[in-house]
Amino acid sequence: MKSSVIPSVMVCIGLGACTVTPGGEGGPPPPAGTGGCEFLFRNYDLVEDTMSTPSGFRDRMTVQPELAFEANRLRQAGCLTNADDLAGAASLPDPAPVSGATPISPISVHAGVVTDMAVDDQAKQFFIDRGIRARSVGAAGLGRRIYLGPFDTREELDQAMDLARQAGFVAPYPARF
């Protein structure tokens, strides 16, 4: 039995197939606070982008195991936004016009993830009513990801992230979309 385990371990090490998802069992824990949520969201994106399922049983799964693991980490860390988090958003004033213009490459803001279609519509409308382009994309195992922008000045980007935080989103961050 030992002789069959050793070649398996050597193949695994040689091919690099024994990697552990960052922050997963055996890996470092995600950073604390909302920066930890950004780390976990980016890791979710990385796993989703690198998965390939050309055919077979895994193609028919609603949430593939690799993504289910990452989605659970996001839920456990409190990175999803629920209706209670956004309860006070409607009473926020409209943001003041942005002054100054530090040009940046156009980039969107990942405001956060909502777990309910009604909240998805309310969240998008909140930003649209304030003159900010908002759209959402389904995320397996999570809900709907809310994206804002794109923005082409640093001031607009910062203002959108600040408004998302004030509205109750957990960890908005710049993201290519």
Side-chain angles (χ1 to χ4, degrees):
M1 182 164 179
K2 285 185 181 179
S3 62
S4 66
V5 172
I6 292 172
S8 298
V9 170
M10 293 180 74
V11 167
C12 184
I13 291 169
L15 295 176
C18 298
T19 58
V20 177
T21 303
E25 189 173 307
T34 58
C37 289
E38 180 179 343
F39 173 86
L40 292 171
F41 276 118
R42 291 186 186 277
N43 201 57
Y44 175 95
D45 291 340
L46 178 68
V47 170
E48 184 178 48
D49 290 346
T50 58
M51 291 175 57
S52 69
T53 56
S55 64
F57 176 74
R58 290 181 55 191
D59 285 345
R60 294 187 300 266
M61 298 181 93
T62 304
V63 181
Q64 296 175 0
E66 296 89 347
L67 279 181
F69 176 78
E70 298 303 327
N72 285 335
R73 291 178 66 207
L74 283 158
R75 262 193 238 73
Q76 290 171 353
C79 298
L80 305 186
T81 303
N82 60 46
D84 292 340
D85 295 329
L86 300 176
S91 64
L92 289 174
D94 289 350
V98 176
S99 61
T102 308
I104 58 173
S105 294
I107 191 165
S108 295
V109 169
H110 176 267
V113 173
V114 295
T115 58
D116 180 301
M117 290 300 287
V119 176
D120 173 49
D121 289 338
Q122 291 170 354
K124 288 186 297 191
Q125 194 60 51
F126 167 78
F127 291 109
I128 291 167
D129 289 347
R130 284 153 180 81
I132 298 173
R133 181 177 176 214
R135 59 211 180 280
S136 66
V137 177
L142 293 177
R144 303 286 299 174
R145 296 178 83 165
I146 307 291
Y147 288 94
L148 311 175
F151 304 98
D152 57 5
T153 70
R154 168 55 65 186
E155 292 77 13
E156 290 173 327
L157 178 71
D158 291 343
Q159 185 181 52
M161 288 192 305
D162 187 51
L163 182 61
R165 274 187 219 93
Q166 289 177 34
F169 284 95
V170 177
Y173 63 91
R176 301 276 173 220
F177 174 76

